[in-house]
Structure formats: C-alpha cells, structure tokens
Amino acid sequence: MGLSRLAALHGVATSYSPSPDVTVSVPDDTVIAVLAALGVDAGTPEDVRRSLVAAESRSRLLPPTVVVWAGEPLPPALTALPPGSTVTVEPGPADAPPAPGTSWKVPEAASSWKVPETREAVTQTPESVTRTPGAVPGAPEVVTETAGPRPAGWTDPPYGVHRLHVRAPDHHEATATLVVAPARVPQPPERTHGFLVQLYSLLSARSWGMGDLGDLADLAAWAGRTLGSGFIQVNPLHAAVPGRPTDPSPYRPSSRRFPDPVHLHVESVPEYGHVHDRATLDDLRQDAAALSEAVLNKGALIDRDAVWQLKRQALELIAQVPLTPGRRAAYCDFLAEQGQALEDHALWCALAEVHGPDWHSWPEPLRDPRSPGTARARSELLDRVDLHCRLAWLTATQLADAQRAAEDAGMEVGIVHDLAVGVHPAGADTWAQQDAFAHGMSVGAPPDAFNARGQDWGLPPWRPDALAATGYAAFRGLLRGLLAHAGALRIDHVMGLFRLWWVPEGRPPTDGTYVTYDAEAMLAVLVLEAHRAGSAVVGEDLGTVEPGVREALARRGVLGTSVLWFERDWDGDGRPLAPEKWRRDCLATATTHDLPSTAARLTGDHVTLRHRLGLLTRPLEEELTEDVTGTAEWLALLARLRMLPEGDGNEEAAVRAVHRFLRATPARMTGVWLPDTVGDRRPQNLPGTWDQYPNWRLPIADPEGHPVTLEEIAASPRLHGLMEVLRPAKARTAPPGERPA
C-alpha cells in the first residue's frame, strides 16, 4: 500500500489496462527502479515510509507550473488559493514580450467566486479581419468566449512564460512558472494535400549520395506550383550520433535541438564559390557523384557515413573562406539567439571527434559539461567548436530557404518537420542536459495486439520533475528551434506529452510502467511556441492511446493521424470506416514510414517479405488469408462508393482509389507517401528488424526496385495520374513534368 501511494504521488503507475477489461500489475521491482530514477528511495519498506512522509509533508501553495489559457476560466491553482492571498505576476524572461507586472488580492470570500462558464460560438469572419496563419478567409471560425469577469485587479499577462508569486495570509510563500497561452494552435487550411517523404531517400541529379535540403526546396517548389500541394512532410532532420557506422535511424538522434549538417546542399553555401582549392572541391564532387551513381544504378544502399565524410571535407574548406560583413553579422545574431545550447552542442561534437561519440567513456572531467576540465577543452578546441556552430547556422539557413521556397510556390503550410520522441543515450542532448533525463531508463511501449513482447526504443526519457522545476525550458527551446522554419510540426508518439512507458535498463519491455507528465503544462508550452511561429501541429496518435488524450489534443487544435488500413468501426462491426465518419482534424494517409507501401499492402508483398525474414508468428498461409480478407473488404467498399471504376485487379487504379477515398473524408490534410506515386513496394523501415533489413537506407524506387531520381519522379505519368485525384482543378492543366500556364 505504501509503495503504491508513493508511486502515485510521483506519477508512476503500479498497474495499467491494455484493454478496457484487462488490468496488468506492474512488478514492484520496476516501480522501485523507476522511483529511484526520479530521485526517490523506495528500496526497503523503511525507505518507502521515509520517502512517503517526506512527499506528503511538502505542502505547496502552487504546483510547479500554472497554466492560463486565453479566453478560459482561471485554473483551480489560482481560484482555490487561501482567502487573503496576494498573487503577483512578474514579467517573463527574454522569451516573452516585456509587460508590467500585475497583482491582485484574493477576496476573503474566495469560495463565493463564480467560475466563468465557457461556450463555443461559430462566427463568420470577413476576409478583412486578421486571422490565424493558415486559416481560410471567409470560413467559419470557432471562437471560445467566457462569461464572467476575471478577479478584481487581474489582467492576463501577455502570452509567454512568467514567474508567479503567492503570499498567503499566514506568510507562507510560493513561486511557480506561469504559462499564458492561446487556446489553440494555428490551424491549417480546411483542405490541403501534400507529400510525405524520407528526405535521405530522395536523390536528385545533383545530390551527394543522399537527398538534401536543396532537393527538399526543389520538391516543394515543383509540388506547390505544378500540383497545388500544400505541404511536404519530412523525417526528423535532427543531428545524428557520429561514428562508423552511424545509427541510420532519424528517430534516435544525438540532439533534437539542432539539425544535422549532412543534409546541407554544399554548392548552395554562398562561400562555396570562393574556395581557393578548387581542385580538391572538384575531386570531392566527383566522389559524391560516384556515390549517387552507385545508389541509383548499381544497387548500393545509401551510405550516410560516406556522404558525411565527403561533405565534411568540403565544408571545412568552405569554412576557411572569410564571411562578408553582412554574413558575419547574421552568423553573430544566430550565435546570440542560440546561446548556451548551441555552444554545448558544438562542444560535444568537437569532443566526440577526439574521444568518440559516447560521452560516458570520455575522461572523467569531460563528462560534466560545466567542469573546469571541460572549460579548458573548449579553449583548446575553439576552432572545431566554431566550425560546428557555423555548420548549425548554415543548416538552419537552408531550412529557412526550403520553407521560403514552399511559401513562394503557394503552399499554404510548407515544410512539416518531425519531432522524434527521444534522443540517443550517448548523444549531445543527454550530455548537456544530464539532470533532465532519467538515467537507467528507456522509453518504449507495453505489449499490445501488434507486439506481444512490447517495445524498447533505447531512448532515455525526460524526468517530469526536472522539466517542471525548470519551467520546461528544455522543451521550450527544443520547440522554438524546430518551429523556426516549419509550416507545421509533426510530433512522433504525441501521447508522450501525457505519459511514457519507462523500461528499466536490463529488463524486458513487459516489465516497464507508465510515468505521467504534466500534460496541461506540456500542451501550453506547445501551443504557445506554435502560436509564436504561426505553425500548425500534427500528433502521431497511432497505437495504444489513453482515454481522453485525443480529446485533449483536439481541444488545443492539435491534429491527429489517421491511416486508412486502421480506420475501422471498432465499436461496431469492425468493418472499414465510411469516409464521412472519419475525423476532420487529422492528417489522413494510406501509409507511413513504418508501414508497407500501398502497392505492397494491396499485393500482399509485405506479408511475404516478413515471411522471408522470419518475422511471422503464424503460418504464412494464415497470415496471407487474413491480409487478403482485410484488403478485400477495403476494395469492396471502394467499389461500392464507385471510386474504383477500373475494377479490381488493376494495382495503379486501386492506389488511385485509395487516395480518392482519403480525399472524400473530411480530413483537413491528406498525405501521399511519395514512394506510392511511383509504385515502390519496399518499406523504408521494417519494425522488428535491425541488420536483417536495410532500414533507413533505401532510395525511392519503381515497382521493380530500380531507384528513381527527383527528376524522374516529377515526370512520372503514374504520379500525375495519382495526383489528378487530389490536386485542385486550377492545377490540372499541365501535362506531366510541366508547370501550368
């Protein structure tokens, strides 16, 4: 009983329900280990009693973070304060607009306050009114209104992060972080479509062995102008852990705060044309062309390490070119904006070049980013630190160029960046922010219908108590960096804003448990930063979702993700869900990077692939029968809806029908997996495999597995036939490969 109470006080679950009628108890050893990672001693019954007394004796006037939503009643943390308390708000730090402090005294008759009631009113907004970025002029807009005034003397501080002070009549005082946020994130247009692509897989004629930011800008410019597309969603472009071989997964980065310079298009760096050693640059470019040739024509896999080796040498030559006064000023501004976070990241990169990529194995003084030994190393490696700072700046500049190219092409949203759920345990973020992570823990997923063994992703989780104690500074900085050049942000495993499955080191995923986070605070920070950037937010909410999570996200304007094959009437007959019954506020797709391509799904190739790799848990015939039955149900629905006029048996026609169906749903955003446009049958990532399958290393290919370039994709008749069912009528006048007049 004591352990359960102690765990509850720290947000650690002692049981969980994988389905409504099933409850699974968490092993005590797991609970004790998770509490230890949170700094709570529960090793013995006496430790539990002592920790429980300490936890229950800590009475607080305020929680660590208080959230005020614009247009909504004040939270209980403020309205339930002791009568006579004085509340003062100090202007926020540099991340919030300066504003005078505001204070008010809680009336003696606090219990008689009338909490305002909220209601939603639909109003017609004229085109002349300034609207949320991405909203459609003239369309109905949901506005939240409140009935009843704020407490006397209270004026809502400006949107931002502030300090809240309370002094009670008994002279007890408390300080908390106050987050003042809009009610919702900016919304995308009512109806828009775009492409989903793993950037590394998109090679053009000018690529250096893998897709880059120049290719992204070109794809956006072409898709926006020719196809009327509204967005391009890419994989996480976070900085990877260096090494040979580098972990190719974009979802296990060294840092989520800064992008990886391997994505740079070298020739687009302004200083490229002023490098004196042209012969070396030309040799590097020829070697890069050979890498691309091997991938595109000789069956080689994308070799990120070889690409980076060439680009690093070229970028080191480019860095020797002095910056012009204007460029120097821009670089200095970037350094000032990024501050300590960039310096730490660049220093980690420099130290990794000397001591290897796992900071746990570095000399003892260097494992602490604030030690005197680390300070000395910073001075000794100053040139390398500056190089990595400059590379981060160059990459951010090209990210901005890609978003600008999308906007110039008429895209309503532009580039949709992806936020991975966590970081590599040996990377830059865990080194620079050691107190923020739960060491000895890994994020994963409990057993479910798709994986009876559960999952361990090898990513250390953030400590919820550390986030709260720092006013969510690390989360705020992370979001601000990602949203700086994004039309929208996709959040992988968005349920992690509410709770995460922690797995103690050395234990199987089945022995994990859920740890809760302050979802109200996490959402407020997300909405605030998205509002500042004018960016929409898409949450990847597939898999096991806690009750109430989707509703909470929808209330704040965070779109969900709906994948066709999983959209069934699970509360009814289990058959495919009719298009009109899909949710409106979502990104609707036929597949994702972790799932089979549409062609593979329709043909059953994904089942035979898993059979060849020994991944099936049932006989092949049984798996194929189930797969064929499920696919047939969808094809029958498409036929009944007259979306498959060509009839069954035509693969290209079936792919088009699937996307006609997606377009018939009310979904705000329709995403097309770019490999689907050319009939690629290979998944980019096959969960459950490591070296059995070339995850994250495949170029986009045609149905026979022959790689295709961006130029070939743009001219593909198959692509243009598919996009004909999605793109607006005004963009349907151009033949394949040409822009409309």
Side-chain angles (χ1 to χ4, degrees):
M1 187 66 180
L3 181 61
S4 296
R5 173 64 180 160
L6 183 63
L9 289 173
H10 292 88
V12 180
T14 54
S15 66
Y16 67 98
S17 298
S19 60
D21 56 343
V22 176
T23 299
V24 178
S25 296
V26 175
D28 286 352
D29 287 350
T30 294
V31 176
I32 292 170
V34 170
L35 286 170
L38 292 169
V40 180
D41 191 356
T44 67
E46 181 57 36
D47 293 332
V48 171
R49 285 192 290 271
R50 187 164 45 248
S51 295
L52 194 55
V53 168
E56 293 180 330
S57 65
R58 287 195 295 267
S59 61
R60 291 181 59 96
L61 284 171
L62 293 170
T65 302
V66 176
V67 173
V68 170
W69 297 102
E72 298 185 12
L74 294 180
L78 294 177
T79 60
L81 288 167
S85 298
T86 299
V87 180
T88 304
V89 178
E90 292 183 354
D95 73 339
T102 179
S103 66
W104 50 276
K105 191 169 185 176
V106 179
E108 294 294 332
S111 60
S112 67
W113 286 2
K114 183 178 180 181
V115 178
E117 297 179 357
T118 63
R119 64 185 177 87
E120 287 191 345
V122 177
T123 62
Q124 195 74 15
T125 306
E127 294 191 21
S128 59
V129 175
T130 301
R131 299 172 56 83
T132 301
V136 179
E141 180 182 30
V142 176
V143 179
T144 301
E145 298 178 351
T146 58
R150 294 299 204 207
W154 172 272
T155 301
D156 281 1
Y159 295 154
V161 181
H162 310 276
R163 297 303 295 168
L164 180 67
H165 299 277
V166 171
R167 182 180 176 87
D170 61 3
H171 303 298
H172 283 136
E173 297 187 19
T175 300
T177 298
L178 174 65
V179 181
V180 183
R184 289 164 63 85
V185 300
Q187 295 298 286
E190 277 300 312
R191 300 287 282 167
T192 187
H193 73 269
F195 290 119
L196 319 178
V197 62
Q198 299 282 294
L199 182 56
Y200 59 83
S201 71
L202 181 68
L203 280 74
S204 70
R206 64 180 186 175
S207 300
W208 284 42
M210 62 181 278
D212 58 39
L213 292 172
D215 298 321
L216 177 60
D218 201 37
L219 174 65
W222 166 74
R225 287 184 168 86
T226 304
L227 305 175
S229 299
F231 65 92
I232 303 291
Q233 178 183 299
V234 296
N235 56 285
L237 304 182
H238 309 320
V241 176
R244 293 188 71 91
T246 299
D247 187 338
S249 173
Y251 291 92
R252 203 163 182 254
S254 169
S255 173
R256 296 187 294 175
R257 175 74 182 267
F258 296 100
D260 198 309
V262 76
H263 300 112
L264 281 168
H265 180 239
V266 175
E267 292 94 328
S268 294
V269 178
E271 289 73 36
Y272 176 86
H274 301 281
V275 172
H276 293 297
D277 190 355
R278 305 305 303 180
T280 300
L281 269 187
D282 290 343
D283 289 343
L284 291 171
R285 187 66 188 90
Q286 289 180 12
D287 290 344
L291 281 180
S292 291
E293 168 71 14
V295 171
L296 294 172
N297 296 314
K298 298 180 180 178
L301 298 175
I302 293 170
D303 188 340
R304 182 191 180 108
D305 297 325
V307 172
W308 176 235
Q309 184 177 10
L310 297 177
K311 286 192 176 183
R312 179 180 55 77
Q313 295 177 67
L315 291 166
E316 287 174 345
L317 290 174
I318 292 171
Q320 296 173 14
V321 177
L323 296 173
T324 65
R327 293 269 293 165
R328 170 62 62 181
Y331 178 42
C332 290
D333 283 349
F334 180 79
L335 294 175
E337 290 167 2
Q338 302 302 319
Q340 186 68 53
L342 176 59
E343 185 176 338
D344 287 344
H345 175 71
L347 178 57
W348 182 90
C349 292
L351 289 170
E353 291 175 337
V354 178
H355 301 287
D358 185 351
W359 61 267
H360 299 92
S361 65
W362 292 355
E364 185 70 33
L366 301 182
R367 298 176 197 173
D368 179 358
R370 305 289 172 253
S371 74
T374 300
R376 286 192 298 272
R378 180 183 291 107
S379 297
E380 295 166 359
L381 298 171
L382 195 57
D383 288 345
R384 300 301 297 181
V385 172
D386 181 67
L387 172 66
H388 290 290
C389 285
R390 187 183 292 202
L391 294 180
W393 170 58
L394 293 175
T395 311
T397 300
Q398 290 195 6
L399 287 170
D401 291 342
Q403 176 63 10
R404 192 176 305 112
E407 293 170 347
D408 291 347
M411 285 191 167
E412 305 98 327
V413 177
I415 309 302
V416 182
H417 286 285
D418 198 351
L419 172 60
V421 69
V423 294
H424 197 288
D429 282 1
T430 58
W431 176 74
Q433 305 168 21
Q434 292 178 37
D435 293 341
F437 288 92
H439 300 285
M441 294 289 143
S442 176
V443 174
D448 57 27
F450 299 100
N451 194 324
R453 294 187 294 270
Q455 299 175 60
D456 182 345
W457 302 330
L459 309 169
W462 264 336
R463 286 180 53 163
D465 57 331
L467 285 176
T470 58
Y472 295 86
F475 189 43
R476 286 186 279 132
L478 168 60
L479 291 173
R480 191 164 311 162
L482 285 169
L483 289 164
H485 310 299
L489 179 67
R490 174 192 181 269
I491 300 181
D492 190 43
H493 194 72
V494 71
M495 296 82 78
L497 299 179
F498 297 77
R499 65 178 185 178
L500 282 172
W501 184 258
W502 287 23
V503 181
E505 189 175 75
R507 290 188 172 92
T510 50
D511 285 356
T513 190
Y514 281 113
V515 176
T516 60
Y517 292 74
D518 186 344
E520 188 84 347
M522 299 282 276
L523 279 174
V525 170
L526 172 62
V527 173
L528 173 63
E529 295 300 336
H531 168 80
R532 287 172 169 171
S535 301
V537 179
V538 179
E540 186 271 296
D541 56 354
L542 305 173
T544 302
V545 183
E546 186 181 10
V549 167
R550 288 195 174 104
E551 293 77 8
L553 293 169
R555 183 183 181 191
R556 298 304 166 200
V558 178
L559 274 61
T561 301
S562 294
V563 177
L564 181 131
W565 311 101
F566 303 150
E567 291 297 312
R568 290 175 173 268
D569 184 8
W570 298 115
D571 295 327
D573 58 13
R575 293 189 177 278
L577 198 63
E580 67 273 11
K581 293 184 178 180
W582 284 43
R583 52 182 169 170
R584 168 177 170 267
D585 294 326
C586 75
L587 167 63
T589 72
T591 190
T592 73
H593 58 268
D594 282 335
L595 296 172
S597 71
T598 305
R601 176 80 66 173
L602 291 167
T603 58
D605 283 5
H606 67 111
V607 178
T608 55
L609 171 62
R610 294 181 67 83
H611 172 66
R612 288 199 305 271
L613 297 176
L615 299 176
L616 297 183
T617 57
R618 296 181 298 173
L620 174 61
E621 295 74 16
E622 189 176 331
E623 294 274 0
L624 283 173
T625 298
E626 181 178 291
D627 183 70
V628 168
T629 301
T631 302
E633 288 181 332
W634 277 103
L635 292 174
L637 175 59
L638 296 175
R640 287 198 303 274
L641 295 174
R642 299 184 179 179
M643 294 180 178
L644 190 54
E646 300 88 346
D648 198 0
N650 184 323
E651 178 196 308
E652 286 191 46
V655 173
R656 288 195 296 270
V658 162
H659 289 85
R660 281 194 190 97
F661 182 96
L662 294 176
R663 195 61 168 170
T665 72
R668 280 182 174 271
M669 301 174 71
T670 303
V672 180
W673 178 237
L674 190 59
D676 273 350
T677 66
V678 290
D680 197 345
R681 281 169 161 70
R682 306 172 305 173
Q684 281 294 316
N685 177 52
L686 190 58
T689 63
W690 177 244
D691 56 359
Q692 308 100 310
Y693 187 80
N695 295 319
W696 318 113
R697 289 173 288 172
L698 292 171
I700 297 174
D702 65 16
E704 288 70 43
H706 301 139
V708 290
T709 63
L710 171 57
E711 293 83 1
E712 292 168 331
I713 292 171
S716 166
R718 179 165 178 155
L719 176 143
H720 286 273
L722 172 58
M723 299 308 294
E724 192 71 20
V725 307
L726 292 171
R727 56 186 174 178
K730 66 181 180 180
R732 293 180 180 174
T733 58
E738 297 181 14
R739 294 181 180 176

